[in-house]
Amino acid sequence: MGMDGQKRIALSAHDAAKPTLAAWAFANERALTAHRLTATGNTGRLLLAQTNLKADCLRSGALGGDMELGAMIAEGRIDLLILFTDPLTPKPHDLDPAPLVRVAAISQTVIALNEATADFILRSELMARPYPRPHAPPALPAVTQRIDARKGLA
């Protein structure tokens, strides 16, 4: 499953990194408007309030938005995950990036965990053109096949 010229971009951030993500999105509004945006709840509301971007908002990460986002990635409905993390000030209700990073890696989803990486990706020549996404079956069928194989062992 390839990516077309309009990428499906998911945006999320730890609480302490939300202002950085909002500032980054504001500075990159022109480039981001060419793509379809999805965001976890509180991050999405902040982006809608501080930029002119339009985004589909999921639930808040703490209320299942991170799981919704993970399912979208697993189903191949996200091309690029921009997930600004704050490893220095963990909070119990903050999103744990490991499951999202894992499912994104399995499904060949592009991942940016900080502003520098997001800048490089957004300015890539591949952002404006189709990309075949080599070796990328959606993660969900691959996992389902492994579960089915294990059932045969029981």
Side-chain angles (χ1 to χ4, degrees):
M1 175 193 295
M3 300 178 207
D4 64 19
Q6 183 186 45
K7 303 300 185 275
R8 298 165 299 175
I9 301 173
L11 301 124
S12 188
H14 283 154
D15 287 346
K18 285 182 189 345
T20 303
L21 179 58
W24 178 85
F26 179 80
N28 290 285
E29 257 185 61
R30 180 182 282 177
L32 290 169
T33 56
H35 305 285
R36 179 162 181 161
L37 306 179
T38 300
T40 51
N42 293 330
T43 300
R45 282 188 281 285
L46 184 63
L47 292 174
L48 295 174
Q50 295 190 4
T51 70
N52 291 315
L53 295 169
K54 294 183 180 7
D56 296 327
C57 291
L58 305 173
R59 291 182 183 106
S60 165
L63 299 177
D66 52 341
M67 288 184 265
E68 285 180 296
L69 183 54
M72 291 177 72
I73 293 167
E75 293 166 356
R77 295 189 290 143
I78 298 294
D79 300 316
L80 169 59
L81 171 62
I82 297 176
L83 174 62
F84 282 13
T85 60
D86 176 31
L88 298 178
T89 56
K91 294 185 171 88
H93 65 279
D94 258 351
L95 151 77
D96 176 10
L100 287 177
V101 170
R102 184 178 306 113
V103 74
I106 291 167
S107 63
Q108 294 289 315
T109 301
V110 178
I111 309 166
L113 297 179
N114 59 42
E115 190 171 355
T117 308
D119 283 341
F120 271 79
I121 291 168
L122 196 61
R123 286 161 182 77
S124 167
E125 65 183 45
L126 298 174
M127 285 298 292
R129 67 180 203 217
Y131 180 73
R133 197 189 278 199
H135 313 293
L140 193 57
V143 170
T144 303
Q145 289 170 357
R146 283 192 296 236
I147 291 170
D148 289 346
R150 287 183 189 164
K151 286 180 186 174
L153 297 175

